[in-house]
Amino acid sequence: MASRKRKPVWFAATALAGSLVVGLAIGFIAFARTVTVAAPPVDPRAEGIVVLTGGTARIDGALALLAEGRAQRLLISGVNPVVTRETLAETVEDGVRPVLACCVDLDHARDTIENASETQRWVEEQGFRSLIVVTSDYHMPRSMAELGGTMPDVELIAFPVSNPDLRLDDWWRDSATFGLLAREYGKFLAAEARQLLPITRPARAAGR
C-alpha cells in the first residue's frame, strides 16, 4: 500500500504565514473602524477622571468634564516634570481654572504602561471604583487594555477625543494617518497580549 505523500514543510509554513497576514489585516481594518466611529458618551459620570496627556484637546476635554461636575477629581497622567500646575493654568480657559486649582492631581508617567500603574495607585488612594478615561480616539483601545489590566475591578468609561488634524474618515488615503493607526494597532496587540498573562485579568469596562 503506497504511503500518502506528505506536504512539504515549506508549504505548511507558507499557509500559516498567509493566514496570519490575513488575520492581522482583518484585525487592523476592524481596529481602524472602531477608532473612526468612536464617540464619547452623552452623559458620562464616574467618581474620577483620568486624562492621558498627548494633546491640549485631551486636557481641555477632561477639565470640562470635571467643571461640569461629572466626577469628583481628575488625574492628569503623563505631565512633563518641568510643567507645573501654574503652567497648565496658563494654557486652559478661565472657566476651568478653579477646578484645576482644587481638584486636579498630576503624575509624570512616561508611557501608557506607566499611565496605567500611576492611575491604579491614584485610584486606590482615592478609593474610586469608576473612572472616565479621556484620551485620543486612536489611543483609546490600547489605553483601555492597559488600564483594564491593572484595575480589573474598576469600571472604565471611555471618553475619546478627536484630533482634527487626523484624516480618520479616509485613513486609507492618507499615509500619515495610515501609519499612525498601523503603529497604534501593533501597540494595542502587544497590550492585549500582556493581559493574557496569568498575573492579569480582563477589565470590566464600559464604552469599550
Side-chain angles (χ1 to χ4, degrees):
M1 182 176 178
S3 60
R4 293 182 179 179
K5 293 183 178 181
R6 294 182 178 180
K7 294 181 179 179
V9 174
W10 65 264
F11 181 87
T14 301
L16 178 61
S19 299
L20 180 61
V21 170
V22 171
L24 288 173
I26 293 174
F28 172 64
I29 293 173
F31 173 83
R33 176 171 175 75
T34 298
V35 168
T36 56
V37 301
V42 176
D43 186 28
R45 296 187 182 276
E47 294 174 299
I49 303 170
V50 60
V51 55
L52 311 186
T53 57
T56 56
R58 301 184 189 183
I59 296 177
D60 290 342
L63 286 170
L65 290 172
L66 185 63
E68 292 169 3
R70 298 184 179 278
Q72 302 169 28
R73 199 163 186 86
L74 164 67
L75 172 65
I76 303 178
S77 182
V79 177
N80 190 304
V82 302
V83 176
T84 64
R85 195 182 304 272
E86 291 72 23
T87 304
L88 285 175
E90 295 174 357
T91 66
V92 301
E93 298 180 0
D94 294 342
V96 297
R97 287 181 183 174
V99 295
L100 181 60
C102 78
C103 311
V104 174
D105 300 305
L106 313 177
D107 76 40
H108 307 301
R110 294 168 295 181
D111 53 34
T112 307
I113 297 175
E114 287 192 7
N115 286 143
S117 61
E118 290 294 326
T119 301
Q120 178 193 28
R121 178 187 58 77
W122 180 76
V123 165
E124 290 179 350
E125 289 177 354
Q126 301 296 328
F128 292 158
R129 301 302 298 273
S130 59
L131 197 63
I132 298 173
V133 180
V134 181
T135 190
S136 296
D137 39 18
Y138 66 85
H139 186 232
M140 186 60 75
R142 178 160 59 108
S143 300
M144 294 293 277
E146 297 288 5
L147 289 165
T150 60
M151 299 177 292
D153 298 323
V154 175
E155 180 186 8
L156 303 177
I157 302 171
F159 193 92
V161 177
S162 297
N163 184 341
D165 295 330
L166 291 178
R167 293 176 52 182
L168 288 178
D169 290 339
D170 56 350
W171 56 268
W172 60 92
R173 296 179 180 176
D174 183 69
S175 59
T177 304
F178 182 91
L180 173 65
L181 290 178
R183 291 190 298 274
E184 193 61 34
Y185 176 58
K187 294 176 182 179
F188 166 69
L189 290 180
E192 286 284 272
R194 274 194 297 275
Q195 309 318 312
L196 299 178
L197 296 175
I199 59 173
T200 62
R201 292 177 295 170
R204 179 171 60 89
R208 185 174 176 181

